[in-house]
Amino acid sequence: MKKAKILLGTFLVLTALMGVAAANGGLQAEHGVIRDTTTNL
Amino acid sequence: MILQTEKASEVIELLSRWNVSMRDRNIAVVEELNMEVQEQIDPAGMDQHEILWYSLLEIRYSLIQKNFDDTAVLLQQLELLQGQLSPEMAFYYHFFKGIFAYSMNQYVEAVACYYEAERFMGSIEDKIEVAEFYYKAATAYYHTRKFLLSLSYAKLAKTTFEEVSKNDLRSADCENILGLCCLSLKQYEQAEEHFLDSLDIAEKFKDEELLNFIRYNLGFLYSEQNLSDIAIRHLSELYSKEFIPHKLSFLLAREYFKMEDQENGFYYLQQGMDVCSAIQNEEYIHHLQILNAQYSTLPSEEIERIVTEHLKYFEERQLWGFVQDYAEALATILHHEKRFEKASTYFYQAFRAKSKIEEMGYLR
């Protein structure tokens, strides 16, 4: 039941995101985090 | 910069001060000088040399402001005048273009721009700028999984920062990258040493932001070693601070699933979905969905269907590292199910993804 709910949630979220560029949070090619000082001044 | 001109005009002198304030991330001064620039500078009265510097600094300012639409337009305009740039200007042009590409999450493009910029490094006398460049290059190489290159640029950045500045926090930032590279190279003990060195400095300076970055990476380090209890302890502490919550939710869900704690696993999975929706982060939705499938009790055919569906996202964006990881994980599941032919297909897909990462090292 939980899985079905999550899958449905994903569909809705992905639909909402269509056409929206990766913005807040950003795309990261690794799970580690680096402080990006130049654009976070 | 400009700065190396023998007889600097008043305009150049003002632009130079503006540039230094942006280099040092001194926002109050950046804004103050921006006002001064807007009031005092009339592009119509400038010579070509001044206009080119002014255009470059407009790009830097738009990057700081995160006005990336402006950055794109300004870069396009300057591209037409590339032939007229001095070597010093060319360095800044490619450097800023790299920062822009990185901000757009185009890491391979960022690396290519930094590679171009480095050709003109000889003309840069400002060592702090050089150190910042090395730091940026290390960051881009990390995200393209070029860990040895990232390591070497992070070391160069750290040495250069230490030569010219007493600002230990920039050294601590470099230690963080060194830790991440060691982590990815599975040198866990060294990774921990780098993170702890960075943590010491961050604590000394009471830099809460950096402390959060390091605590997260320590949690990630323990997670990668399957030390779930200690990983969860580190990551949970950050959760209440809402620090990069989509990433935290992913790692926490993964650790709870590893411990076969389905309740908490699903809790953080759903939390991650909600956060991704709120901040419009599509990437982590795909990570979370694949995670969900990996730890489900669904038949392997269904797991395969879900994983391949979400894998497309990473392929389309050339995030080959994750394609490799997830194709390998799927192949392993199918191998255990004795679906050897299918398993072989995904092991080959992982191999191809790995080759793509290697190809990215052949700079154009």
Side-chain angles (χ1 to χ4, degrees):
Chain A
M1 194 60 192
K2 271 180 179 167
K3 273 176 213 138
K5 196 180 157 195
I6 287 167
L7 285 172
L8 174 66
T10 308
F11 173 75
L12 294 174
V13 167
L14 286 178
T15 307
L17 288 179
M18 278 174 74
V20 179
N24 202 352
L27 195 64
Q28 297 284 302
E30 287 294 305
H31 291 306
V33 290
I34 297 174
R35 181 153 74 162
D36 180 19
T37 46
T38 306
T39 51
N40 282 315
L41 309 184
Chain B
M1 111 178 232
I2 322 178
L3 357 165
Q4 294 158 25
T5 313
E6 280 177 22
K7 284 171 99 181
S9 68
E10 273 178 37
V11 169
I12 288 293
E13 196 272 331
L14 175 58
L15 291 177
S16 174
R17 283 192 288 132
W18 193 29
N19 184 50
V20 169
S21 68
M22 289 194 271
R23 181 203 69 188
D24 294 344
R25 299 172 294 281
N26 194 338
I27 288 301
V29 179
V30 168
E31 290 305 337
E32 196 182 302
L33 288 171
N34 176 48
M35 295 282 283
E36 219 174 301
V37 166
Q38 300 312 320
E39 279 166 16
Q40 294 185 16
I41 288 185
D42 172 16
M46 288 187 200
D47 63 27
Q48 182 179 298
H49 177 76
E50 291 167 339
I51 286 175
L52 289 172
W53 277 121
Y54 177 66
S55 306
L56 278 166
L57 297 190
E58 286 271 272
I59 294 171
R60 190 169 217 170
Y61 184 67
S62 69
L63 284 167
I64 288 177
Q65 294 291 310
K66 297 190 179 182
N67 288 334
F68 297 128
D69 290 344
D70 289 357
T71 314
V73 173
L74 290 164
L75 279 169
Q76 259 179 354
Q77 287 172 352
L78 209 53
E79 193 175 1
L80 302 170
L81 302 169
Q82 259 198 83
Q84 295 170 42
L85 300 179
S86 67
E88 192 186 5
M89 290 173 183
F91 167 81
Y92 280 102
Y93 170 72
H94 293 290
F95 185 28
F96 298 158
K97 203 174 162 191
I99 295 172
F100 174 65
Y102 183 90
S103 305
M104 295 293 102
N105 311 310
Q106 294 165 355
Y107 306 118
V108 178
E109 177 64 18
V111 163
C113 293
Y114 293 148
Y115 183 76
E116 278 298 308
E118 197 165 12
R119 291 175 49 219
F120 301 101
M121 278 265 286
S123 60
I124 305 301
E125 290 180 7
D126 180 347
K127 291 286 179 196
I128 297 177
E129 202 76 272
V130 169
E132 290 291 346
F133 169 78
Y134 287 142
Y135 182 83
K136 285 281 162 205
T139 305
Y141 277 122
Y142 171 72
H143 284 300
T144 50
R145 292 201 180 189
K146 293 288 173 194
F147 302 121
L148 290 174
L149 277 167
S150 177
L151 213 103
S152 110
Y153 276 94
K155 278 184 185 165
L156 278 170
K158 185 170 182 285
T159 313
T160 315
F161 275 127
E162 286 170 353
E163 271 172 24
V164 291
S165 164
K166 294 288 168 209
N167 186 353
D168 289 336
L169 283 168
R170 296 304 277 141
S171 295
D173 282 323
C174 296
E175 288 287 352
N176 182 40
I177 301 181
L178 292 171
L180 282 172
C181 291
C182 290
L183 194 171
S184 298
L185 293 165
K186 303 198 187 305
Q187 303 295 310
Y188 298 127
E189 214 167 301
Q190 281 173 281
E192 191 178 35
E193 278 174 26
H194 286 299
F195 288 143
L196 293 178
D197 282 350
S198 187
L199 196 73
D200 277 349
I201 300 170
E203 275 171 350
K204 188 174 136 195
F205 285 89
K206 296 187 173 57
D207 185 336
E208 242 346 279
E209 187 193 34
L210 182 58
L211 279 169
N212 289 342
F213 274 87
I214 304 302
R215 283 178 190 138
Y216 170 96
N217 285 333
L218 277 169
F220 179 40
L221 168 71
Y222 299 127
S223 159
E224 287 294 291
Q225 295 174 87
N226 294 323
L227 300 169
S228 298
D229 284 331
I230 185 166
I232 287 171
R233 203 168 66 231
H234 275 81
L235 299 169
S236 300
E237 270 181 40
L238 287 174
Y239 199 76
S240 57
K241 297 181 181 178
E242 297 185 1
F243 177 77
I244 314 186
H246 58 294
K247 287 189 164 223
L248 268 179
S249 301
F250 171 80
L251 286 187
L252 279 164
R254 190 172 76 168
E255 287 318 299
Y256 279 116
F257 281 135
K258 280 185 200 167
M259 295 171 79
E260 297 182 0
D261 181 342
Q262 302 289 315
E263 195 181 338
N264 275 312
F266 280 120
Y267 171 78
Y268 284 107
L269 199 66
Q270 189 59 61
Q271 292 287 309
M273 287 293 182
D274 293 345
V275 169
C276 287
S277 170
I279 66 170
Q280 300 187 333
N281 184 304
E282 189 181 351
E283 183 199 351
Y284 269 76
I285 290 176
H286 296 284
H287 284 304
L288 288 161
Q289 281 304 320
I290 291 175
L291 182 70
N292 188 23
Q294 280 174 327
Y295 286 93
S296 71
T297 51
L298 293 167
S300 65
E301 288 82 1
E302 187 58 11
I303 295 174
E304 182 189 355
R305 190 192 63 74
I306 296 169
V307 173
T308 50
E309 183 190 322
H310 293 284
L311 207 52
K312 280 181 206 152
Y313 172 87
F314 298 102
E315 284 179 308
E316 282 165 12
R317 281 152 187 81
Q318 301 184 12
L319 295 173
W320 302 115
F322 287 132
V323 174
Q324 184 191 350
D325 292 348
Y326 291 135
E328 260 173 15
L330 178 59
T332 306
I333 290 171
L334 297 173
H335 178 84
H336 287 143
E337 292 280 318
K338 302 199 187 314
R339 295 176 60 198
F340 299 121
E341 206 171 323
K342 276 279 185 186
S344 166
T345 304
Y346 293 113
F347 276 128
Y348 184 68
Q349 187 179 3
F351 169 76
R352 288 289 306 137
K354 193 179 163 202
S355 305
K356 292 276 186 191
I357 299 171
E358 282 160 13
E359 280 168 23
M360 289 185 330
Y362 310 147
L363 292 162
R364 57 197 184 184

